[in-house]
């Protein structure tokens, strides 16, 4: 069974600095998707960034980028120029890409990392 | 209304009460999900509906009963809950993920407290 581990329960960073959140996963599959979600104190979970395992290029969305190391099963999130609005819980998630499988519905989640932004 | 909405946002109920949580998505998606989020634990998938048909039921106690009357609405009927059922209940929707890397869109959640 697949698992997702976020080893940092809490991280803090000075405003405008860069922070990296770590995520490792365990799977025997070769094709899958990885996601980072953000949940601010208002509780609405939103997608930050997505990576397809077959793509070698790391995904980037504005100040957010990932370091995807497929062999090491690592999927870290880098936030550049941190802003107060980035304060939130960040969740890493995995989903199988085996086409047509009912397991496609299941996102495997990490326990989350609480990110604190210091002004 | 846009995105995924949930009502009520907060609910306090006794163990003998019956209540329902409602979720509505305005995104044209065809899959909907119920999750339970407890402190310091990964999100737990409870139920999945795709095209109004239940696809997954992850060993959830029968005191939780889902209903999906159409692709835009999802309910979670609650009865004789236990205090350990107190949690944040999140609803999400997506296009059918069996066809691609479709991400899930979440509602704001219902904070449930069982007394």
């Amino acid at each position: 069974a697949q698992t997702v581990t976020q080893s940092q329960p809490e991280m803090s960073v000075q405003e405008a600095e860069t922070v990296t959140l770590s995520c490792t996963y365990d799977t025997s599959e070769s094709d899958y998707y990885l996601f980072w979600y953000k949940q601010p104190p208002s509780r609405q979970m939103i997608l930050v960034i997505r990576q397809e395992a077959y793509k070698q290029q790391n995904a980037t969305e504005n100040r957010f980028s990932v370091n995807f190391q497929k062999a090491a099963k690592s999927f870290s999130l880098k936030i550049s120029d941190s802003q107060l609005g980035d304060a939130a819980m960040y969740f890493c998630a995995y989903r199988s890409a085996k086409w047509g499988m009912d397991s496609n519905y299941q996102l495997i989640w990490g326990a989350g990392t609480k990110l604190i932004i210091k002004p | 209304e846009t995105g995924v909405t949930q009502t009520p946002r907060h609910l306090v109920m006794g163990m003998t009460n019956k209540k329902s949580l409602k979720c509505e998505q305005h995104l044209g998606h065809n899959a909907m999900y119920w999750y339970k989020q407890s402190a310091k634990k990964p999100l737990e998938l409870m139920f999945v509906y795709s095209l109004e048909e239940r696809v997954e039921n992850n060993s959830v106690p029968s005191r939780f009963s889902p209903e999906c009357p159409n692709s835009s609405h999802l309910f979670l009927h609650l009865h004789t809950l236990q205090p350990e059922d107190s949690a944040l209940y999140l609803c999400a929707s997506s296009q059918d993920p069996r066809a691609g890397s479709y991400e899930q869109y979440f509602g704001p959640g219902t904070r449930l407290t069982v007394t």
Side-chain angles (χ1 to χ4, degrees):
Chain A
Q2 296 88 5
T3 58
V4 175
T5 302
Q6 293 180 249
S7 58
Q8 306 151 318
E10 187 174 296
M11 291 280 287
S12 63
V13 63
Q14 205 71 38
E15 194 176 2
E17 299 286 301
T18 294
V19 64
T20 299
L21 309 184
S22 66
C23 172
T24 58
Y25 57 94
D26 189 26
T27 183
S28 58
E29 298 180 335
S30 59
D31 200 11
Y32 47 86
Y33 306 106
L34 295 165
F35 305 88
W36 277 100
Y37 280 86
K38 167 185 176 182
Q39 188 179 34
S42 65
R43 301 178 303 179
Q44 191 118 19
M45 187 93 73
I46 56 174
L47 178 71
V48 175
I49 202 163
R50 171 182 58 208
Q51 176 81 43
E52 288 88 348
Y54 66 85
K55 290 186 177 178
Q56 292 188 337
Q57 187 170 9
N58 289 324
T60 299
E61 288 287 340
N62 301 314
R63 298 182 295 107
F64 298 87
S65 61
V66 298
N67 184 2
F68 174 47
Q69 301 287 328
K70 191 172 184 179
K73 296 179 184 174
S74 171
F75 183 59
S76 60
L77 175 70
K78 185 171 87 170
I79 305 173
S80 305
D81 185 26
S82 299
Q83 300 175 1
L84 294 176
D86 295 332
M89 286 291 293
Y90 285 81
F91 295 93
C92 178
Y94 167 103
R95 182 168 76 75
S96 170
K98 278 187 184 176
W99 192 86
M101 300 289 288
D102 283 348
S103 61
N104 289 162
Y105 294 100
Q106 179 89 355
L107 274 175
I108 311 298
W109 295 84
T113 296
K114 182 178 180 180
L115 179 63
I116 298 167
I117 311 294
K118 298 177 184 176
Chain B
E1 294 276 19
T2 58
V4 181
T5 58
Q6 289 185 244
T7 54
R9 294 292 302 274
H10 300 270
L11 178 62
V12 179
M13 59 185 289
M15 292 196 291
T16 58
N17 290 159
K18 288 185 181 181
K19 296 285 184 184
S20 296
L21 309 185
K22 179 183 175 183
C23 175
E24 185 172 358
Q25 59 97 0
H26 309 267
L27 300 168
H29 291 160
N30 50 27
M32 296 187 77
Y33 312 75
W34 278 118
Y35 285 92
K36 178 183 179 182
Q37 186 177 29
S38 305
K40 301 192 176 167
K41 290 176 68 175
L43 269 72
E44 300 171 54
L45 180 65
M46 300 175 71
F47 300 103
V48 181
Y49 278 82
S50 179
L51 299 171
E52 299 147 49
E53 185 178 317
R54 189 189 300 182
V55 177
E56 288 198 28
N57 171 3
N58 285 350
S59 302
V60 179
S62 59
R63 56 187 184 268
F64 295 91
S65 174
E67 179 190 0
C68 187
N70 55 62
S71 59
S72 299
H73 293 87
L74 184 66
F75 295 89
L76 188 63
H77 303 300
L78 316 171
H79 63 97
T80 59
L81 294 190
Q82 304 298 310
E84 60 264 30
D85 296 323
S86 298
L88 183 67
Y89 288 84
L90 293 172
C91 174
S93 71
S94 75
Q95 296 292 3
D96 192 311
R98 291 175 295 182
S101 64
Y102 299 112
E103 62 266 27
Q104 295 179 15
Y105 292 78
F106 286 81
T110 296
R111 172 67 65 188
L112 174 66
T113 303
V114 181
T115 60

